[in-house]
Amino acid sequence: MFDKIFIEKKEDIERVITRYLPKEEGYPKTVIEAMNYSVLVGGKRIRPMLLRETYALFGGESLIIEPYLAAIEFIHSYSLVHDDLPALDNDELRRGNLTTHIKFGHAMGILAGDALLNYSYEILSSAYELSPMYIDRCAKANKYISKKAGIYGMIGGQVVDIEAVGKTLDIESIEYIHMNKTSALIQAAMCAGAILAGATVEELNVVEEAANKIGLAFQIQDDILDIVGDEDKLGKAINSDAKNQKTTYVTIKGIEESRKDVETLTQSALDNLKALGYTNDFLFALIEKLINRIN
Ligand code: GRG
């Protein structure tokens, strides 16, 4: 039952984000094709799903959420396009297909990532036009998303991750990397949903903490799958961390301990969210399912 609903919701998100993609026309057509390829080539759409379901948790019902679903997925897609470049992880396969720079050339890979990021902010800055009564909530959500995607979030985590190549890290440094490289965008998604639905500051703090734990669990599971995952199901090569001489959570704690931590972090995040007193059974089931994800 969960799987059927998940697929329906994922397809609906894909319909929305497809509407927000730029038209493949004019002089910059090549980079637009590369942008659209990067977004449409696959992906689980976890971030827009968490955004929409957190919005629903707090009773949100407006179409104002739709540009946010697109923007958060485009920011995520840009980060993957750049992460796959030769100067970063140097990967040729992503979501079961050629990475953007392999398909369109390195220059277009760089530009498509830049363009996706910029286009996200174009979408976010006009989101309020759908429902001007929510302009204050939109401004607050946009500020939060831009902070978490930037140097005090995803890019900050990525910088430390890159500087750590070949070095031995302690668990605190790895947690810093995970909290910023991965949790920050999950916080952006869930907290934007909460802000747009009118959550209070206290409620927002709870969502932020829960999203941090979900992001940590998500990244530890990603590190586990990089060692024991199935390349066909993952749609990318495994052993990328070893190839790039990266110390990960699993390198330090081992697979079994890491699996336990994924479970503990997830349960703790669920406890935090449930204590708010609102219900969204699909959101709670989705978070729980992420523990055993295989891709
Ligand atoms: C600015 C040059 C430059 C690069 C930015 C910030 C950045 C590069 C990369 C982000 C870091 C990153 C790739 C974090 C990993 C997060 C993660 C586990 C991604 C995979 O997410 P999934 O499993 O992917 O949701 P799908 O394909 O399902 O969308």
Side-chain angles (χ1 to χ4, degrees):
M1 190 60 184
F2 173 86
D3 292 349
K4 187 170 169 280
I5 301 174
F6 178 87
I7 290 168
E8 282 168 12
K9 284 182 181 278
K10 178 171 174 282
E11 286 173 351
D12 191 55
I13 284 169
E14 284 172 343
R15 273 190 290 278
V16 173
I17 64 180
T18 302
R19 272 200 282 114
Y20 278 91
L21 284 169
K23 286 203 175 55
E24 294 176 4
E25 59 190 17
Y27 280 98
K29 188 168 185 269
T30 313
V31 82
I32 299 172
E33 283 171 358
M35 289 165 76
N36 293 355
Y37 171 82
S38 311
V39 173
L40 295 177
V41 81
K44 298 181 288 298
R45 318 303 185 191
I46 295 298
R47 291 154 195 81
M49 207 173 281
L50 287 169
L51 199 161
R52 185 180 244 177
E53 296 305 324
T54 308
Y55 183 63
L57 179 73
F58 288 98
E61 288 180 339
S62 159
L63 287 181
I64 195 88
I65 204 67
E66 293 194 342
Y68 286 86
L69 305 180
I72 205 79
E73 186 66 9
F74 296 173
I75 294 173
H76 168 60
S77 296
Y78 120 79
S79 81
L80 300 183
V81 171
H82 278 185
D83 197 52
D84 291 333
L85 289 167
L88 285 94
D89 274 3
N90 193 19
D91 282 312
E92 298 194 350
L93 270 185
R94 162 78 66 183
R95 296 169 161 177
N97 287 278
L98 293 179
T99 48
T100 307
H101 69 278
I102 295 293
K103 188 158 171 82
F104 290 88
H106 290 196
M108 285 302 149
I110 294 168
L111 289 170
D114 295 338
L116 277 167
L117 179 61
N118 196 78
Y119 205 62
S120 306
Y121 291 115
E122 286 184 60
I123 293 170
L124 290 179
S125 54
S126 52
Y128 76 95
E129 290 168 8
L130 281 176
S131 201
M133 65 186 279
Y134 291 127
I135 190 165
D136 289 350
R137 291 183 189 179
C138 289
K140 208 171 154 201
N142 297 356
K143 183 176 171 187
Y144 191 87
I145 293 171
S146 53
K147 181 175 172 197
K148 290 290 174 177
I151 50 175
Y152 304 112
M154 184 171 69
I155 293 179
Q158 184 71 2
V159 168
V160 180
D161 195 32
I162 287 169
E163 287 182 339
V165 167
K167 292 187 190 146
T168 311
L169 294 183
D170 57 21
I171 204 75
E172 282 78 27
S173 313
I174 289 183
E175 280 176 356
Y176 171 85
I177 292 170
H178 286 5
M179 272 162 62
N180 288 280
K181 183 177 90 161
T182 308
S183 291
L185 206 58
I186 291 181
Q187 288 176 317
M190 295 184 71
C191 290
I195 292 166
L196 291 167
T200 64
V201 173
E202 292 73 26
E203 288 170 337
L204 198 59
N205 289 339
V206 173
V207 176
E208 188 169 58
E209 185 52 33
N212 184 35
K213 291 173 188 167
I214 293 165
L216 282 175
F218 192 83
Q219 184 60 55
I220 298 168
Q221 183 68 10
D222 207 68
D223 295 345
I224 293 173
L225 290 173
D226 191 57
I227 297 170
V228 300
D230 176 323
E231 291 193 342
D232 287 341
K233 294 197 173 81
L234 284 170
K236 62 180 182 180
I238 62 166
N239 296 319
S240 157
D241 294 327
K243 180 191 85 179
N244 292 317
Q245 296 173 275
K246 282 190 181 164
T247 308
T248 70
Y249 198 91
V250 185
T251 327
I252 296 183
K253 287 211 152 184
I255 297 236
E256 280 322 305
E257 198 68 22
S258 300
R259 283 200 170 114
K260 275 190 213 142
D261 290 349
V262 170
E263 190 138 3
T264 310
L265 284 161
T266 305
Q267 285 310 329
S268 170
L270 279 169
D271 291 345
N272 296 154
L273 291 175
K274 287 179 182 171
L276 287 168
Y278 306 115
T279 303
N280 177 346
D281 289 336
F282 178 79
L283 173 65
F284 299 154
L286 171 67
I287 293 167
E288 200 146 1
K289 283 274 173 181
L290 292 177
I291 304 179
N292 298 315
R293 69 190 176 91
I294 52 165
N295 69 349

